mmCIF file of all heavy atoms in Angstrom:
data_model
loop_
_atom_site.group_PDB
_atom_site.id
_atom_site.type_symbol
_atom_site.label_atom_id
_atom_site.label_comp_id
_atom_site.label_asym_id
_atom_site.label_seq_id
_atom_site.Cartn_x
_atom_site.Cartn_y
_atom_site.Cartn_z
ATOM 1 N N ARG A 76 22.463 0.345 2.301
ATOM 2 C CA ARG A 76 21.505 1.550 2.371
ATOM 3 C C ARG A 76 20.696 1.541 3.675
ATOM 4 O O ARG A 76 20.484 2.517 4.230
ATOM 5 C CB ARG A 76 20.588 1.511 1.072
ATOM 6 C CG ARG A 76 19.347 2.342 1.260
ATOM 7 C CD ARG A 76 19.618 3.796 1.217
ATOM 8 N NE ARG A 76 18.335 4.576 1.213
ATOM 9 C CZ ARG A 76 17.637 4.779 2.331
ATOM 10 N NH1 ARG A 76 17.978 4.152 3.494
ATOM 11 N NH2 ARG A 76 16.516 5.512 2.149
ATOM 12 N N TRP A 77 20.344 0.258 3.952
ATOM 13 C CA TRP A 77 19.353 0.094 5.162
ATOM 14 C C TRP A 77 19.869 -0.494 6.363
ATOM 15 O O TRP A 77 19.193 -0.659 7.415
ATOM 16 C CB TRP A 77 18.092 -0.643 4.581
ATOM 17 C CG TRP A 77 17.168 0.205 3.797
ATOM 18 C CD1 TRP A 77 16.357 1.269 4.295
ATOM 19 C CD2 TRP A 77 16.850 0.132 2.487
ATOM 20 N NE1 TRP A 77 15.601 1.762 3.360
ATOM 21 C CE2 TRP A 77 15.849 1.063 2.153
ATOM 22 C CE3 TRP A 77 17.206 -0.717 1.378
ATOM 23 C CZ2 TRP A 77 15.445 1.303 0.822
ATOM 24 C CZ3 TRP A 77 16.792 -0.539 0.192
ATOM 25 C CH2 TRP A 77 15.838 0.359 -0.134
ATOM 26 N N GLY A 78 21.060 -1.213 6.424
ATOM 27 C CA GLY A 78 21.459 -1.951 7.569
ATOM 28 C C GLY A 78 20.804 -3.352 7.394
ATOM 29 O O GLY A 78 19.945 -3.636 6.489
ATOM 30 N N TRP A 79 21.269 -4.377 8.086
ATOM 31 C CA TRP A 79 20.842 -5.670 7.961
ATOM 32 C C TRP A 79 19.348 -6.004 8.018
ATOM 33 O O TRP A 79 18.723 -6.621 7.332
ATOM 34 C CB TRP A 79 21.731 -6.656 8.605
ATOM 35 C CG TRP A 79 21.547 -6.717 10.082
ATOM 36 C CD1 TRP A 79 22.095 -6.122 11.120
ATOM 37 C CD2 TRP A 79 20.458 -7.589 10.720
ATOM 38 N NE1 TRP A 79 21.631 -6.449 12.356
ATOM 39 C CE2 TRP A 79 20.726 -7.439 12.192
ATOM 40 C CE3 TRP A 79 19.549 -8.561 10.380
ATOM 41 C CZ2 TRP A 79 19.927 -7.937 13.165
ATOM 42 C CZ3 TRP A 79 18.797 -9.245 11.306
ATOM 43 C CH2 TRP A 79 18.919 -8.966 12.620
ATOM 44 N N SER A 80 18.733 -5.452 9.097
ATOM 45 C CA SER A 80 17.334 -5.848 9.271
ATOM 46 C C SER A 80 16.351 -5.294 8.221
ATOM 47 O O SER A 80 15.614 -5.969 7.546
ATOM 48 C CB SER A 80 16.879 -5.418 10.697
ATOM 49 O OG SER A 80 16.987 -4.003 10.956
ATOM 50 N N MET A 81 16.421 -3.980 8.059
ATOM 51 C CA MET A 81 15.559 -3.362 7.129
ATOM 52 C C MET A 81 16.080 -3.830 5.556
ATOM 53 O O MET A 81 15.324 -4.049 4.647
ATOM 54 C CB MET A 81 15.629 -1.898 7.093
ATOM 55 C CG MET A 81 14.831 -1.325 8.239
ATOM 56 S SD MET A 81 14.509 0.489 8.146
ATOM 57 C CE MET A 81 16.049 1.070 8.969
ATOM 58 N N GLY A 82 17.497 -4.024 5.474
ATOM 59 C CA GLY A 82 18.119 -4.260 4.191
ATOM 60 C C GLY A 82 17.496 -5.632 3.720
ATOM 61 O O GLY A 82 17.229 -5.864 2.529
ATOM 62 N N LEU A 83 17.312 -6.562 4.609
ATOM 63 C CA LEU A 83 16.807 -7.981 4.210
ATOM 64 C C LEU A 83 15.441 -7.746 3.809
ATOM 65 O O LEU A 83 15.054 -8.446 2.696
ATOM 66 C CB LEU A 83 16.925 -8.837 5.525
ATOM 67 C CG LEU A 83 17.106 -10.298 5.408
ATOM 68 C CD1 LEU A 83 18.368 -10.506 4.458
ATOM 69 C CD2 LEU A 83 17.161 -10.993 6.583
ATOM 70 N N VAL A 84 14.571 -7.029 4.339
ATOM 71 C CA VAL A 84 13.205 -6.758 3.816
ATOM 72 C C VAL A 84 13.247 -6.177 2.478
ATOM 73 O O VAL A 84 12.556 -6.724 1.543
ATOM 74 C CB VAL A 84 12.386 -5.918 4.781
ATOM 75 C CG1 VAL A 84 11.019 -5.614 4.319
ATOM 76 C CG2 VAL A 84 12.426 -6.319 6.379
ATOM 77 N N ALA A 85 14.096 -5.243 2.172
ATOM 78 C CA ALA A 85 14.210 -4.503 1.049
ATOM 79 C C ALA A 85 14.597 -5.399 -0.140
ATOM 80 O O ALA A 85 14.275 -5.515 -1.175
ATOM 81 C CB ALA A 85 15.171 -3.326 1.043
ATOM 82 N N TRP A 86 15.570 -6.335 0.292
ATOM 83 C CA TRP A 86 16.182 -7.363 -0.598
ATOM 84 C C TRP A 86 15.040 -8.278 -1.301
ATOM 85 O O TRP A 86 15.034 -8.429 -2.423
ATOM 86 C CB TRP A 86 17.263 -8.102 0.028
ATOM 87 C CG TRP A 86 17.979 -9.045 -0.835
ATOM 88 C CD1 TRP A 86 18.729 -8.758 -1.968
ATOM 89 C CD2 TRP A 86 18.157 -10.414 -0.722
ATOM 90 N NE1 TRP A 86 19.268 -9.841 -2.505
ATOM 91 C CE2 TRP A 86 18.916 -10.984 -1.806
ATOM 92 C CE3 TRP A 86 17.646 -11.530 0.222
ATOM 93 C CZ2 TRP A 86 19.258 -12.242 -1.977
ATOM 94 C CZ3 TRP A 86 17.919 -12.778 0.069
ATOM 95 C CH2 TRP A 86 18.775 -13.189 -1.022
ATOM 96 N N PHE A 87 14.276 -8.765 -0.370
ATOM 97 C CA PHE A 87 13.162 -9.570 -0.892
ATOM 98 C C PHE A 87 12.294 -8.789 -1.862
ATOM 99 O O PHE A 87 11.905 -9.482 -2.788
ATOM 100 C CB PHE A 87 12.276 -10.110 0.386
ATOM 101 C CG PHE A 87 12.991 -11.316 1.002
ATOM 102 C CD1 PHE A 87 13.364 -11.343 2.342
ATOM 103 C CD2 PHE A 87 12.914 -12.542 0.265
ATOM 104 C CE1 PHE A 87 13.922 -12.337 2.902
ATOM 105 C CE2 PHE A 87 13.557 -13.709 0.836
ATOM 106 C CZ PHE A 87 14.010 -13.594 2.102
ATOM 107 N N GLY A 88 11.961 -7.581 -1.501
ATOM 108 C CA GLY A 88 11.166 -6.697 -2.403
ATOM 109 C C GLY A 88 11.877 -6.539 -3.624
ATOM 110 O O GLY A 88 11.239 -6.620 -4.716
ATOM 111 N N MET A 89 13.195 -6.270 -3.623
ATOM 112 C CA MET A 89 13.912 -6.102 -4.971
ATOM 113 C C MET A 89 14.059 -7.401 -5.693
ATOM 114 O O MET A 89 13.958 -7.279 -7.000
ATOM 115 C CB MET A 89 15.390 -5.598 -4.624
ATOM 116 C CG MET A 89 15.432 -4.125 -4.115
ATOM 117 S SD MET A 89 17.034 -3.612 -4.218
ATOM 118 C CE MET A 89 16.699 -1.780 -3.676
ATOM 119 N N LEU A 90 14.111 -8.431 -5.166
ATOM 120 C CA LEU A 90 14.154 -9.760 -5.935
ATOM 121 C C LEU A 90 12.708 -9.921 -6.536
ATOM 122 O O LEU A 90 12.656 -10.345 -7.709
ATOM 123 C CB LEU A 90 14.349 -10.970 -4.831
ATOM 124 C CG LEU A 90 15.622 -11.077 -4.183
ATOM 125 C CD1 LEU A 90 15.798 -12.416 -3.477
ATOM 126 C CD2 LEU A 90 16.751 -11.083 -5.171
ATOM 127 N N ALA A 91 11.733 -9.595 -5.935
ATOM 128 C CA ALA A 91 10.425 -9.735 -6.481
ATOM 129 C C ALA A 91 10.431 -8.855 -7.558
ATOM 130 O O ALA A 91 9.874 -9.269 -8.709
ATOM 131 C CB ALA A 91 9.384 -9.316 -5.515
ATOM 132 N N LEU A 92 10.732 -7.503 -7.524
ATOM 133 C CA LEU A 92 10.653 -6.567 -8.566
ATOM 134 C C LEU A 92 11.482 -6.943 -9.692
ATOM 135 O O LEU A 92 11.118 -6.735 -10.877
ATOM 136 C CB LEU A 92 10.986 -5.161 -8.112
ATOM 137 C CG LEU A 92 9.857 -4.570 -7.110
ATOM 138 C CD1 LEU A 92 10.081 -3.089 -6.974
ATOM 139 C CD2 LEU A 92 8.501 -4.869 -7.619
ATOM 140 N N GLY A 93 12.811 -7.316 -9.326
ATOM 141 C CA GLY A 93 13.726 -7.657 -10.510
ATOM 142 C C GLY A 93 13.152 -8.778 -11.299
ATOM 143 O O GLY A 93 13.124 -8.823 -12.610
ATOM 144 N N GLY A 94 12.727 -9.819 -10.525
ATOM 145 C CA GLY A 94 12.001 -10.987 -11.340
ATOM 146 C C GLY A 94 10.767 -10.594 -12.062
ATOM 147 O O GLY A 94 10.603 -10.966 -13.285
ATOM 148 N N LEU A 95 9.915 -9.767 -11.462
ATOM 149 C CA LEU A 95 8.685 -9.422 -12.259
ATOM 150 C C LEU A 95 8.947 -8.565 -13.514
ATOM 151 O O LEU A 95 8.445 -8.786 -14.567
ATOM 152 C CB LEU A 95 7.827 -8.715 -11.384
ATOM 153 C CG LEU A 95 6.996 -9.561 -10.248
ATOM 154 C CD1 LEU A 95 6.249 -8.756 -9.281
ATOM 155 C CD2 LEU A 95 5.987 -10.405 -11.043
ATOM 156 N N ALA A 96 9.992 -7.532 -13.391
ATOM 157 C CA ALA A 96 10.275 -6.924 -14.565
ATOM 158 C C ALA A 96 10.859 -7.725 -15.606
ATOM 159 O O ALA A 96 10.452 -7.592 -16.641
ATOM 160 C CB ALA A 96 11.436 -5.862 -14.132
ATOM 161 N N LEU A 97 11.666 -8.857 -15.210
ATOM 162 C CA LEU A 97 12.183 -9.627 -16.248
ATOM 163 C C LEU A 97 11.151 -10.539 -16.876
ATOM 164 O O LEU A 97 11.030 -10.613 -18.226
ATOM 165 C CB LEU A 97 13.193 -10.571 -15.565
ATOM 166 C CG LEU A 97 13.833 -11.693 -16.452
ATOM 167 C CD1 LEU A 97 14.752 -11.046 -17.459
ATOM 168 C CD2 LEU A 97 14.539 -12.728 -15.592
ATOM 169 N N VAL A 98 10.261 -11.098 -16.033
ATOM 170 C CA VAL A 98 9.217 -11.935 -16.624
ATOM 171 C C VAL A 98 8.263 -11.190 -17.581
ATOM 172 O O VAL A 98 7.932 -11.782 -18.677
ATOM 173 C CB VAL A 98 8.389 -12.521 -15.377
ATOM 174 C CG1 VAL A 98 7.113 -13.001 -16.003
ATOM 175 C CG2 VAL A 98 9.205 -13.552 -14.625
ATOM 176 N N PHE A 99 7.988 -9.977 -17.302
ATOM 177 C CA PHE A 99 7.047 -9.267 -18.165
ATOM 178 C C PHE A 99 7.902 -8.605 -19.440
ATOM 179 O O PHE A 99 7.191 -8.247 -20.278
ATOM 180 C CB PHE A 99 6.240 -8.227 -17.472
ATOM 181 C CG PHE A 99 5.241 -8.908 -16.563
ATOM 182 C CD1 PHE A 99 5.371 -8.975 -15.108
ATOM 183 C CD2 PHE A 99 4.223 -9.615 -17.148
ATOM 184 C CE1 PHE A 99 4.441 -9.463 -14.335
ATOM 185 C CE2 PHE A 99 3.357 -10.296 -16.218
ATOM 186 C CZ PHE A 99 3.430 -10.327 -14.950
ATOM 187 N N LEU A 100 9.069 -8.631 -19.239
ATOM 188 C CA LEU A 100 9.837 -8.093 -20.425
ATOM 189 C C LEU A 100 10.344 -9.231 -21.456
ATOM 190 O O LEU A 100 10.176 -8.976 -22.667
ATOM 191 C CB LEU A 100 11.083 -7.322 -19.926
ATOM 192 C CG LEU A 100 11.984 -6.618 -21.045
ATOM 193 C CD1 LEU A 100 11.271 -5.453 -21.631
ATOM 194 C CD2 LEU A 100 13.170 -6.128 -20.364
ATOM 195 N N LEU A 101 10.569 -10.315 -20.931
ATOM 196 C CA LEU A 101 11.112 -11.486 -21.592
ATOM 197 C C LEU A 101 10.385 -11.798 -22.872
ATOM 198 O O LEU A 101 10.938 -11.901 -23.975
ATOM 199 C CB LEU A 101 11.239 -12.616 -20.645
ATOM 200 C CG LEU A 101 12.218 -13.692 -21.055
ATOM 201 C CD1 LEU A 101 13.615 -13.219 -21.210
ATOM 202 C CD2 LEU A 101 12.321 -14.856 -19.961
ATOM 203 N N PRO A 102 9.040 -12.016 -22.711
ATOM 204 C CA PRO A 102 8.517 -12.512 -23.987
ATOM 205 C C PRO A 102 8.273 -11.430 -25.083
ATOM 206 O O PRO A 102 8.247 -11.835 -26.253
ATOM 207 C CB PRO A 102 7.017 -12.777 -23.511
ATOM 208 C CG PRO A 102 6.827 -12.113 -22.246
ATOM 209 C CD PRO A 102 8.194 -11.935 -21.687
ATOM 210 N N TYR A 103 8.517 -10.158 -24.720
ATOM 211 C CA TYR A 103 8.500 -9.199 -25.733
ATOM 212 C C TYR A 103 9.716 -8.867 -26.289
ATOM 213 O O TYR A 103 9.971 -8.524 -27.573
ATOM 214 C CB TYR A 103 7.702 -7.959 -25.043
ATOM 215 C CG TYR A 103 6.356 -8.208 -24.652
ATOM 216 C CD1 TYR A 103 6.170 -8.260 -23.246
ATOM 217 C CD2 TYR A 103 5.268 -8.322 -25.493
ATOM 218 C CE1 TYR A 103 4.822 -8.518 -22.810
ATOM 219 C CE2 TYR A 103 4.008 -8.479 -25.066
ATOM 220 C CZ TYR A 103 3.836 -8.717 -23.592
ATOM 221 O OH TYR A 103 2.611 -8.846 -23.150
ATOM 222 N N ALA A 104 10.789 -8.754 -25.478
ATOM 223 C CA ALA A 104 12.162 -8.362 -25.973
ATOM 224 C C ALA A 104 13.188 -9.092 -25.122
ATOM 225 O O ALA A 104 13.780 -8.638 -24.316
ATOM 226 C CB ALA A 104 12.196 -6.748 -25.692
ATOM 227 N N PRO A 105 13.467 -10.345 -25.469
ATOM 228 C CA PRO A 105 14.371 -11.062 -24.777
ATOM 229 C C PRO A 105 15.830 -10.656 -24.850
ATOM 230 O O PRO A 105 16.618 -10.530 -23.967
ATOM 231 C CB PRO A 105 14.343 -12.498 -25.352
ATOM 232 C CG PRO A 105 13.573 -12.330 -26.701
ATOM 233 C CD PRO A 105 12.722 -11.221 -26.531
ATOM 234 N N ARG A 106 16.228 -9.969 -26.024
ATOM 235 C CA ARG A 106 17.444 -9.446 -26.240
ATOM 236 C C ARG A 106 17.684 -8.205 -25.354
ATOM 237 O O ARG A 106 18.874 -8.147 -24.839
ATOM 238 C CB ARG A 106 17.736 -9.176 -27.718
ATOM 239 C CG ARG A 106 18.214 -10.318 -28.408
ATOM 240 C CD ARG A 106 18.227 -10.228 -29.896
ATOM 241 N NE ARG A 106 18.315 -11.542 -30.439
ATOM 242 C CZ ARG A 106 19.562 -12.147 -30.452
ATOM 243 N NH1 ARG A 106 20.442 -11.666 -29.953
ATOM 244 N NH2 ARG A 106 19.591 -13.430 -30.833
#
Side-chain angles (χ1 to χ4, degrees):
Chain A
R76 165 68 179 75
W77 279 292
W79 72 267
S80 60
M81 288 194 268
L83 213 55
V84 180
W86 185 57
F87 277 112
M89 285 193 177
L90 291 190
L92 291 193
L95 283 168
L97 175 70
V98 163
F99 289 111
L100 183 62
L101 198 59
Y103 301 103
R106 270 166 199 287

